[in-house]
Amino acid sequence: MSITAPTQATVPTAATGRRLIRDLDEAAFAAHYGCDRYTATVLGNRFDYLVEHMSARLLTGAFSPVLRDFYDLACTIAGPPELGYPVPAASNGIVLMAGTTIDAVPTMVQEFGVGRLNPGDVLIANDPYRTGNHNNDLVFTRPVFVDGTLVAFVTLNAHQLDMGGTVPGGFSATKQNVFENGLVLSPRLLVQGGVNVPETWNVIFDNVRMAEVLYPDMLTVCSSLELGERLVQESIERYGLQAFHGSMRYATDAAAERMALGMAELPDGDWEAEHGVDCDGVDDTESYPVHVAIRKRGDRIEVDFSGTHRQARSSINATVWEVKTAIGVALKYNFDPRGRFNSGLFRNIDIVIPEGTVVSALPPDGAVFLYFEQSQVILATVLIALEKALGERAIAGDRAGTNLHTAFGAHPDGTPWVSAMQCGGEIGPFGANRHGDADTQCMSYLANGVAPSVEAIEKESPVVMLRHEPVPDTAGPGFHRGGNAMLRDTLWLTDAAHSIIELRHKSVTGFGVHGGGHGVNGGVWIFPPGEGGDAVVPGTDSEAFGRGVPWAGVIDPASNTPSPDGEYIYPFSGANTSVRQSVLRYITNGAGGWGDPLEREPERVLRDVRDEYVTIEGAARLYGVVVSGDPHEDPEGLVLETAATAALRERLRAVKP
């Protein structure tokens, strides 16, 4: 299978020796786009406003914590079929969902039939093989008509708290086919002519848990689509349909041109890399490497996935739509980090994907749910492959896994509760690049959510947040330091079944680049209550880990601490059911550094010791910097030992490979 983006551009680029968009005079621009530059620019910004306004409507009205707190949604606007469904703008939600939504809309419309759509309709689907992502990500698209003509689509791809299946909330690596995965909806009308379609609503709510959350959220999604429709119609009324569609083409052409110019700067060449997850949800006898071969010629790049491992036996697979999105994001980070994310991004990228691999799974046995894990593998593999070609522009690896955690149980009155993506390692570090040190309190390179508030978590689930802090000496050292691993301890007040998503511990995920060091991998532990049944709150020193039971990671069997020489703990071996008053500990992987750590200014290392990103011992070992004092009791009294630092760095450089 190969994916080649449609070529809507008629304005050639400098990479081919022809004119750029900016080289068009006013008459040529107006002839090509049906409006002047000023109008195209205004409408381009209005597209951004439109999708963000729709997103804000949902975020402020959502009941689900996954939507309200995690921003697990994406909103797009697309042109009509005769223009090739151009997408000039996507919201600042989960980029994984924004990318797949670009292709989901034409797939849904073509299967349902564009001639069957009418004003006031809302079309939905959630089949991963049709729309990308997973069953919980329900795509809602509303056709927009003006004077009886279909002129656009406004779309929200919004995560639903539950869509049926064997596990509440759906987050599990152990589901082995599409029948266990949850409710599958082919393209169908949710709303027809402004009236709800009872058959569609009923089939959803006959199969899902927590309907009291899904129902109002779906109503809010429909309201957001109505808002988007109104904004589109107002824009066309003010600027005209020709200018509206011309501005769509301009926004996507400009994005394609920026990417082509960026890729043209990279010397032609061929590069390969392989990277993957540790296991699937069946056992740990297989790992699943993803192989990429990148071929760059002129202003085009081909990414070939031949040699990638067969599809997994459980729901850790992804589809071709996630491949396309992850490749686009990885290349955009490198070649056009400041431009818009829209459908023009993919125009100069060709992708070759064999069918039936872990990133191109087929039903019914190639179940897709944890697609985001494979998406991160794809992005990381591209970054690894391009490191030498990019030189100082290379980007270090982040913590790679999502480290998602789900717990579920019942309140004393029997009503169910679910804590989804709130109390695990969802927040973690980025890798460093040439611009500076990396952030520690982030999600991943392919997500753009935020950490939910502690108060909201504790109000809705029987849990107490005990600790949320960086772990010293876990960041990849470098001239620019990677982000530190994050530690989170939660105390569960009642019995709870826990589902953990840990697939990236056997190998380094936070890889360093341009001479930078690797980050340190983490793990998951459960600390049972003491002999009297009361909770035992563990410390963070190495001895404290001995009282815990490892649930995931590569762990030293003697100390229970993470160790690259330890034993691998398979994360899906049991039901992972904790008892009352247990403490769950997550430590994410640390992220990679950029540049030679021995060149990092000693003053910056001193600041890291003061802020407890680096210990005094770590400063000497990782950076060759000697610091004296007590960072805990007197952080501002730390002293940089200049002479000792110079001598230590000289010794370390002498033995450096």
Side-chain angles (χ1 to χ4, degrees):
M1 178 184 298
S2 64
I3 298 178
T4 302
T7 54
Q8 300 163 353
T10 56
V11 179
T13 68
T16 59
R18 305 175 192 175
R19 289 187 302 172
L20 301 170
I21 295 174
R22 64 173 175 264
D23 295 331
L24 297 174
D25 61 27
E26 292 304 317
F29 187 96
H32 186 73
Y33 292 113
C35 62
D36 57 60
R37 292 180 192 274
Y38 181 81
T39 300
T41 302
V42 169
L43 279 168
N45 284 287
R46 185 164 177 81
F47 297 145
D48 293 336
Y49 164 80
L50 186 151
V51 295
E52 293 301 337
H53 210 41
M54 290 172 60
S55 298
R57 167 70 66 87
L58 177 56
L59 287 169
T60 55
F63 285 78
S64 167
V66 181
L67 291 174
R68 182 194 66 218
D69 301 330
F70 217 71
Y71 288 33
D72 202 346
L73 59 93
C75 178
T76 63
I77 176 174
E82 60 268 24
L83 294 184
Y85 302 91
V87 175
S91 63
N92 291 320
I94 302 293
V95 69
L96 284 164
M97 300 169 71
T100 56
T101 305
I102 290 172
D103 292 290
V105 172
T107 299
M108 293 165 62
V109 171
Q110 290 167 18
E111 179 175 342
F112 182 80
V114 65
R116 298 173 61 193
L117 293 172
N118 294 287
D121 288 352
V122 175
L123 187 66
I124 63 168
N126 76 335
D127 180 15
Y129 311 97
R130 289 175 167 99
T131 61
N133 304 140
H134 54 202
N135 301 55
N136 288 50
D137 294 330
L138 187 56
V139 182
F140 303 73
T141 188
R142 184 180 182 96
V144 180
F145 289 82
V146 172
D147 297 329
T149 299
L150 177 60
V151 298
F153 295 90
V154 289
T155 305
L156 260 166
N157 185 350
H159 182 100
Q160 306 304 303
L161 194 58
D162 184 83
M163 287 300 287
T166 58
V167 178
F171 287 96
S172 169
T174 61
K175 298 176 292 183
Q176 296 186 38
N177 54 59
V178 297
F179 312 112
E180 297 179 359
N181 214 14
L183 178 65
V184 175
L185 296 167
S186 58
R188 66 194 62 215
L189 290 178
L190 181 73
V191 180
Q192 185 173 31
V195 179
N196 290 347
V197 179
E199 295 86 352
T200 303
W201 291 82
N202 289 343
V203 76
I204 293 173
F205 289 105
D206 285 346
N207 285 278
V208 305
R209 308 167 181 90
M210 294 160 285
E212 70 278 3
V213 174
L214 267 68
Y215 182 70
D217 282 354
M218 289 173 62
L219 292 177
T220 304
V221 168
C222 292
S223 172
S224 299
L225 294 176
E226 292 175 5
L227 171 64
E229 177 186 51
R230 188 164 64 250
L231 292 173
V232 168
Q233 292 170 337
E234 290 173 357
S235 301
I236 293 173
E237 182 180 357
R238 180 169 184 176
Y239 295 99
L241 182 58
Q242 184 180 31
F244 185 83
H245 282 160
S247 298
M248 282 185 159
R249 293 190 292 110
Y250 167 70
T252 53
D253 285 353
E257 183 178 273
R258 288 176 63 102
M259 280 293 293
L261 291 173
M263 290 191 290
E265 294 179 0
L266 187 71
D268 288 355
D270 297 358
W271 308 279
E272 295 187 47
E274 195 168 276
H275 199 47
V277 300
D278 302 338
C279 60
D280 63 9
V282 176
D283 56 41
D284 63 347
T285 58
E286 286 189 65
S287 58
Y288 292 86
V290 170
H291 186 92
V292 298
I294 300 176
R295 305 176 186 97
K296 187 268 175 184
R297 303 291 185 271
D299 63 353
R300 295 197 71 85
I301 279 183
E302 178 187 85
V303 184
D304 187 347
F305 285 82
S306 299
T308 293
H309 199 285
R310 68 168 179 84
Q311 65 189 36
R313 301 161 295 178
S314 64
S315 56
I316 68 167
N317 298 293
T319 71
V320 295
W321 310 120
E322 284 82 47
V323 172
K324 180 180 176 182
T325 299
I327 291 295
V329 173
L331 296 179
K332 183 170 175 58
Y333 269 131
N334 286 293
F335 302 121
D336 182 30
R338 296 186 181 278
R340 282 192 175 100
F341 182 92
N342 64 34
S343 59
L345 157 67
F346 303 95
R347 196 173 294 165
N348 283 43
I349 304 170
D350 302 312
I351 307 173
V352 179
I353 315 172
E355 290 185 338
T357 75
V358 72
V359 297
S360 55
L362 300 174
D365 295 326
V368 174
F369 199 91
L370 307 184
Y371 72 91
F372 38 83
E373 297 293 336
Q374 299 299 340
S375 297
Q376 292 179 105
V377 168
I378 294 164
L379 187 145
T381 311
V382 171
L383 296 182
I384 294 169
L386 291 177
E387 180 195 352
K388 290 185 172 56
L390 291 169
E392 68 173 17
R393 295 169 60 186
I395 300 172
D398 65 353
R399 48 66 183 264
T402 55
N403 308 112
L404 297 183
H405 165 267
T406 303
F408 52 90
H411 292 295
D413 64 0
T415 58
W417 59 266
V418 171
S419 170
M421 300 188 293
Q422 296 178 314
C423 296
E426 292 85 5
I427 305 301
F430 276 9
N433 57 41
R434 69 187 186 278
H435 298 296
D437 293 345
D439 289 332
T440 290
Q441 185 84 353
C442 302
M443 284 187 63
S444 77
Y445 287 154
L446 285 163
N448 195 28
V450 296
S453 69
V454 173
E455 292 81 5
I457 293 171
E458 294 180 344
K459 178 178 182 295
E460 296 177 351
S461 302
V463 64
V464 176
M465 189 74 67
L466 300 176
R467 186 180 280 119
H468 181 77
E469 61 190 37
V471 182
D473 294 345
T474 54
F479 180 77
H480 295 314
R481 171 182 49 74
N484 286 58
M486 289 296 297
L487 182 149
R488 181 181 280 176
D489 284 348
T490 50
L491 169 62
W492 295 86
L493 303 177
T494 186
D495 294 343
H498 295 268
S499 173
I500 64 175
I501 308 301
E502 296 292 314
L503 293 167
R504 306 289 298 283
H505 290 295
K506 284 185 179 179
S507 60
V508 169
T509 61
F511 51 86
V513 296
H514 200 55
H518 301 325
V520 176
N521 286 0
V524 181
W525 297 259
I526 188 77
F527 292 84
E531 294 181 1
D534 295 328
V536 175
V537 179
T540 57
D541 59 289
S542 58
E543 292 184 2
F545 284 83
R547 294 189 290 273
V549 178
W551 272 7
V554 179
I555 306 296
D556 183 331
S559 65
N560 276 352
T561 57
S563 169
D565 301 319
E567 297 178 356
Y568 177 65
I569 305 297
Y570 179 63
F572 313 117
S573 57
N576 289 343
T577 301
S578 73
V579 294
R580 193 184 304 262
Q581 301 294 324
S582 291
V583 174
L584 182 66
R585 167 166 294 177
Y586 265 80
I587 298 180
T588 72
N589 295 347
W594 181 96
D596 186 353
L598 297 180
E599 297 298 323
R600 183 175 176 86
E601 299 93 330
E603 292 77 15
R604 293 171 70 196
V605 179
L606 176 67
R607 189 161 58 244
D608 284 341
V609 175
R610 179 200 65 189
D611 296 340
E612 297 190 58
Y613 289 111
V614 178
T615 65
I616 288 179
E617 183 276 331
R621 174 171 51 86
L622 301 172
Y623 294 95
V625 173
V626 180
V627 176
S628 60
D630 189 336
H632 304 291
E633 299 297 328
D634 185 16
E636 300 302 329
L638 294 172
V639 175
L640 174 64
E641 306 291 350
T642 306
T645 294
L648 177 57
R649 285 190 159 184
E650 184 176 353
R651 293 196 302 273
L652 293 175
R653 289 189 181 101
V655 299
K656 191 175 181 179

